[in-house]
Amino acid sequence: MAKIQLIATAPMGLEAIVADEIRQLGYDDVTVENGRVTFAGDELAICRANLWLRTADRVLIKMGEFAARTFDELFEGTKALPWPDWIPEDAEFPVDGRSHKSQLSSVPACQGIVKKAIVEKMKTNYHTEWFEERGPRYRIEVSLLKDIATLTLDTTGVGLHKRGYRKLITEAPLKETMAAAIVLLSKWRAERPFYDPFCGSGTLPIEAAMIGWNIAPGLRRSFAAEDWPAVPEKLWREARDEAYDLLRDDVPLEITGSDIDPAAIDVALAAAKAAGLASELRFRTEPVAKIRPSGDYGCLITNPPYGERLGDQQEVERALRQLGGITAAMPTWSVFVLSPSRQLEHYMGRPASRKRKLYNGRIECQLYQYWAAGGVYSVAKKSPEPKL
């Protein structure tokens, strides 16, 4: 199989984590840029990346990149690319676009030029003047940045954060990709207790369980490229068989989520059931003041509400002070709190060991890290990293 340039798009602040995931999959030719990670692979890499990447948004094929200061340059550069190698005669191929700091600033005009250039290329290859566009979908994007055009094909379809288990949502839900990133950053391992006292719809506990059992996050969903002739069905079967072989569902898990809102707990229970994890996760309706995480060397990882579920800011502050008091009496536990509040350390009653800027959607947050006595790595025995 020939080498293909692939791009895993990433939320701001998560690029290094996405790059680490790609390397764990065995792809070493990795370049990290703002909002994306480029790597080389083959057709099987398209399948494996879509199935396995927990923190990326999409997996794209990089069709080409070239300077485009005029519409003629954009047309000729697009037409020169090997579109018929990927797009069959009956394909549907819509074109999306964006432009930033480029002379070609009209996105609709750029989309029209790219569409016309691809049609002209395909006319030559398929010897036809008309394309019905009733077949598989190939979403094309033209991205212009500082007069450089990048043309991509989207292999994913619906974004990778859509695992398939969350049918219902609570207010201000945490994206699955961000939840997975926080768990990965915490270095939590399956033999350690896990607790989320503001669990909402259960995303953090569910993502932790999927990491603990080494469940490929895309195992229960489909992808746009599954309908593409250029990515044979046998490769998708091979990638899924590999994922099932690497699943470690014999590992005992001690994962608990609680929330003051009983409706949120109902949503979390439904999501856990849809994920096939209902018997492994514990959820309960409980205010933070009453939580009593059990065990040693655990991880408390949470995304407290910004006021929506607890009613008003004073209640949020009170809950955070209660969390600070409870966790201060848990010296063997590491605590990770994602919050946009600049006052969180004040409410918790102690400075964080470390802070890391992350974006929950468009909201700038900090991941406040409170390491266990002796450091975040001062824990009971660790399990080895799963091999992919």
Side-chain angles (χ1 to χ4, degrees):
M1 288 181 263
K3 286 291 183 181
I4 304 164
Q5 284 294 108
L6 298 171
I7 297 172
T9 61
M12 191 180 303
L14 299 188
E15 296 92 343
I17 303 171
V18 173
D20 285 344
E21 288 195 87
I22 291 168
R23 292 187 187 100
Q24 285 187 34
L25 286 170
Y27 305 107
D28 296 323
D29 187 4
V30 175
T31 302
V32 180
E33 302 172 79
N34 288 335
R36 65 182 188 177
V37 180
T38 303
F39 64 105
D42 53 19
E43 288 85 352
L44 181 59
I46 294 172
C47 310
R48 298 180 77 234
N50 275 298
L51 283 169
W52 280 105
L53 293 182
R54 300 182 190 279
T55 59
D57 287 329
R58 297 180 178 278
V59 179
L60 312 175
I61 296 170
K62 183 178 179 180
M63 294 296 295
E65 193 169 81
F66 50 87
R69 297 176 182 83
T70 67
F71 287 128
D72 282 344
E73 289 178 341
L74 181 61
F75 181 89
E76 295 300 333
T78 300
K79 187 179 177 183
L81 300 177
W83 300 104
D85 290 356
W86 290 98
I87 302 177
E89 184 176 351
D90 66 342
E92 178 189 1
F93 51 104
V95 179
D96 295 333
R98 50 185 171 148
S99 179
H100 184 62
K101 295 182 179 179
S102 295
Q103 293 184 49
L104 298 179
S105 58
S106 171
V107 172
C110 292
Q111 291 172 236
I113 291 292
V114 167
K115 180 79 172 188
K116 182 178 178 180
I118 295 171
V119 167
E120 290 302 313
K121 178 77 170 195
M122 292 177 65
K123 279 182 180 179
T124 302
N125 189 80
Y126 293 116
H127 308 291
T128 184
E129 292 295 315
W130 181 255
F131 298 96
E132 294 286 344
E133 297 199 41
R134 294 179 179 176
R137 185 178 178 86
Y138 293 73
R139 191 175 72 87
I140 297 159
E141 183 180 76
V142 51
S143 175
L144 287 146
L145 177 62
K146 297 180 180 178
D147 296 323
I148 299 297
T150 304
L151 279 293
T152 59
L153 274 177
D154 178 13
T155 73
T156 299
V158 177
L160 290 176
H161 71 282
K162 296 285 189 179
R163 317 292 206 215
Y165 63 74
R166 192 159 72 179
K167 309 300 182 184
L168 305 171
I169 60 171
T170 55
E171 290 187 37
L174 184 68
K175 264 192 176 183
E176 295 89 330
T177 42
M178 178 59 71
I182 296 169
V183 176
L184 291 173
L185 285 168
S186 77
K187 307 297 183 183
W188 174 80
R189 293 291 178 264
E191 76 277 2
R192 302 173 62 189
F194 179 105
Y195 201 105
D196 179 3
F198 300 100
C199 71
S201 55
T203 307
L204 273 163
I206 292 170
E207 290 296 319
M210 293 176 71
I211 289 169
W213 273 6
N214 203 36
I215 299 172
L219 206 50
R220 290 173 172 264
R221 56 159 290 178
S222 59
F223 305 95
E226 289 189 65
D227 295 326
W228 297 5
V231 187
E233 182 183 348
K234 66 178 182 179
L235 296 182
W236 289 100
R237 285 199 306 269
E238 181 180 338
R240 282 196 162 87
D241 287 346
E242 175 192 48
Y244 280 114
D245 289 342
L246 290 167
L247 197 150
R248 303 185 300 161
D249 58 359
D250 58 339
V251 177
L253 299 174
E254 191 178 340
I255 297 176
T256 305
S258 62
D259 199 283
I260 197 172
D261 183 0
I265 294 299
D266 288 342
V267 173
L269 288 167
K273 183 177 180 181
L277 295 163
S279 62
E280 306 303 322
L281 305 180
R282 294 189 292 272
F283 290 103
R284 52 178 177 252
T285 304
E286 195 167 56
V288 68
K290 293 187 177 180
I291 68 166
R292 294 297 181 268
S294 60
D296 291 320
Y297 305 106
C299 260
L300 187 149
I301 307 177
T302 195
N303 174 220
Y306 310 151
E308 296 90 345
R309 295 203 303 275
L310 292 187
D312 60 37
Q313 188 58 32
Q314 286 187 336
E315 289 186 55
V316 172
E317 292 173 10
R318 186 182 306 114
L320 291 173
R321 292 180 192 277
Q322 291 165 343
L323 178 65
I326 290 166
T327 56
M330 299 161 53
T332 67
W333 281 61
S334 292
V335 177
F336 299 82
V337 183
L338 181 72
S339 175
S341 173
R342 304 276 182 173
Q343 299 293 108
L344 188 125
E345 291 168 297
H346 171 69
Y347 302 140
M348 292 286 287
R350 53 186 170 134
S353 308
R354 185 179 179 185
K355 292 181 286 188
R356 179 173 181 142
K357 184 191 296 186
L358 296 173
Y359 285 84
N360 185 13
R362 295 185 178 182
I363 301 173
E364 181 181 324
C365 298
Q366 294 285 341
L367 180 61
Y368 294 90
Q369 305 172 43
Y370 293 88
W371 299 343
V376 71
Y377 303 111
S378 178
V379 298
K381 64 178 183 177
K382 294 181 183 179
S383 59
E385 293 278 355
K387 300 296 184 182
L388 301 181

